[in-house]
Amino acid sequence: MDPHRMLAGGEVAVVRELHVRVARLRGRAGAVEQPPAAPPTECPAQPPADGLDEDFVIQPPPGDPVRLFHPPAGGSHGCAFAVGLANVKKLGGAMIVNDPTGTPQLLNARAAVRTATRLRTQPGGAFTRIDSYGEMQLPDARSTFIAFGFQPVSAKVEFTTGPITISTATVGSPPDRYNLAVAGFYQSLRVHDVTINGTPLDVGDNCRTARPFPVRLNGDFPDYTNVIIGGPLRGTVTIPEFTGCGTGGEDLDQLFTASLSGPDNLIAMNQGRLCVPSGGGVNGCPPVVPPLPGQEPDKAP
């Protein structure tokens, strides 16, 4: 049994509820937001810098060491859109990440920069892994929550996202073979442009999480096979306490920590197919913005 399948067991209802909240958010924001610019249609000219983080690389079962191989070309340079939803458990609210109706930004990636293999006849059994990495500058997200059960609070969230490691593996031999997929990175959040019941609240320019926190998203085979094909990814994160909130001697750190920080905040992302320009422009190019998780034609809530 694929152990990561247990993670997604109760998430369908949660994702559906996120769509209800997001629909309400768009209904409130649609009248004041300016029309978004068109999303990019070509991959960045330069590939991302080397960014594999071993903390997020899938490890083989104990046994013989795996054999590592680095392609001479350094992997395939490509790009894809990844869009999704992020839930704040304490507030029972959600925000759209890389909103597909706005100006979503591209994941700039290098696919298959390293492979790891072990034969089924070796101690530990068969293991094949493909490691990729990327970088992504997410646009700010706007969200509105009901704080303390009655107070509407609106804010923008700025994401600072570190290098993204994408690791996929096949473990074992039939009939016990299973597949794993992980996308992991470290991220910080900054809150700004805050209003409470329509009244601006000056939180300063540096109201943010006290430290970067790990984000580990898992994909289930065959819905997510590899970074080239893309697909849905799910995970939960623990949001750290906030610091730097408030101006003029007013300390709002505890307010934001009490409202936002804590564990079990669901992130649901959907990665589109990777566009690889060196493939003659036919391999997933131009990149296509995928639907939000749960809004795929055969999975609409």
Side-chain angles (χ1 to χ4, degrees):
M1 179 179 179
D2 183 342
H4 286 306
R5 288 192 178 275
M6 295 185 290
L7 175 70
E11 289 177 359
V12 173
V14 177
V15 171
R16 287 177 177 174
E17 176 61 22
L18 294 189
H19 281 292
V20 173
R21 296 168 184 164
V22 164
R24 293 172 183 159
L25 168 63
R26 281 179 167 158
R28 285 191 292 267
V32 296
E33 294 291 337
Q34 296 298 316
T41 58
E42 296 182 355
C43 293
Q46 297 298 319
D50 190 0
L52 280 181
D53 187 333
E54 299 300 330
D55 287 349
F56 301 110
V57 170
I58 298 169
Q59 298 303 312
D64 276 0
V66 295
R67 180 181 178 183
L68 298 177
F69 174 73
H70 297 80
S76 300
H77 177 212
C79 65
F81 289 103
V83 301
L85 307 168
N87 186 48
V88 179
K89 184 178 180 180
K90 281 186 175 179
L91 295 179
M95 70 182 74
I96 307 168
V97 179
N98 211 21
D99 191 346
T101 68
T103 309
Q105 297 303 299
L106 286 162
L107 166 69
N108 185 22
R110 268 198 181 278
V113 299
R114 183 178 68 183
T115 61
T117 57
R118 186 172 64 197
L119 300 176
R120 63 180 180 85
T121 54
Q122 294 180 267
F127 181 82
T128 302
R129 187 185 71 222
I130 300 175
D131 297 326
S132 309
Y133 62 81
E135 60 186 13
M136 190 174 187
Q137 298 299 318
L138 291 168
D140 290 4
R142 162 70 71 176
S143 192
T144 299
F145 303 105
I146 303 300
F148 311 114
F150 68 92
Q151 191 72 261
V153 177
S154 181
K156 285 187 176 180
V157 178
E158 176 186 274
F159 305 92
T160 301
T161 304
I164 301 170
T165 296
I166 304 167
S167 185
T168 58
T170 300
V171 185
S173 302
D176 300 319
R177 184 170 61 194
Y178 59 92
N179 295 75
L180 300 172
V182 171
F185 50 92
Y186 284 88
Q187 189 172 75
S188 296
L189 307 178
R190 183 177 75 91
V191 179
H192 61 104
D193 289 356
V194 180
T195 63
I196 299 179
N197 203 21
T199 301
L201 174 66
D202 190 356
V203 301
D205 296 329
N206 198 35
C207 181
R208 64 177 64 248
T209 49
R211 57 190 173 277
F213 55 92
V215 179
R216 185 182 180 95
L217 305 178
N218 300 295
D220 285 333
F221 183 85
D223 294 331
Y224 194 100
T225 303
N226 53 52
V227 70
I228 297 290
I229 298 175
L233 295 156
R234 303 284 190 276
T236 59
V237 299
T238 296
I239 301 175
E241 65 274 16
F242 278 75
T243 185
C245 303
T247 59
E250 185 177 25
D251 188 350
L252 300 176
D253 293 351
Q254 290 303 315
L255 173 64
F256 284 94
T257 296
S259 301
L260 303 175
S261 301
D264 301 325
N265 301 284
L266 173 67
I267 298 178
M269 300 295 293
N270 196 13
Q271 183 217 308
R273 179 178 285 272
L274 198 73
C275 162
V276 181
S278 63
V282 296
N283 188 10
C285 298
V288 175
V289 180
L292 288 170
Q295 289 190 339
E296 297 89 344
D298 58 342
K299 297 181 181 179

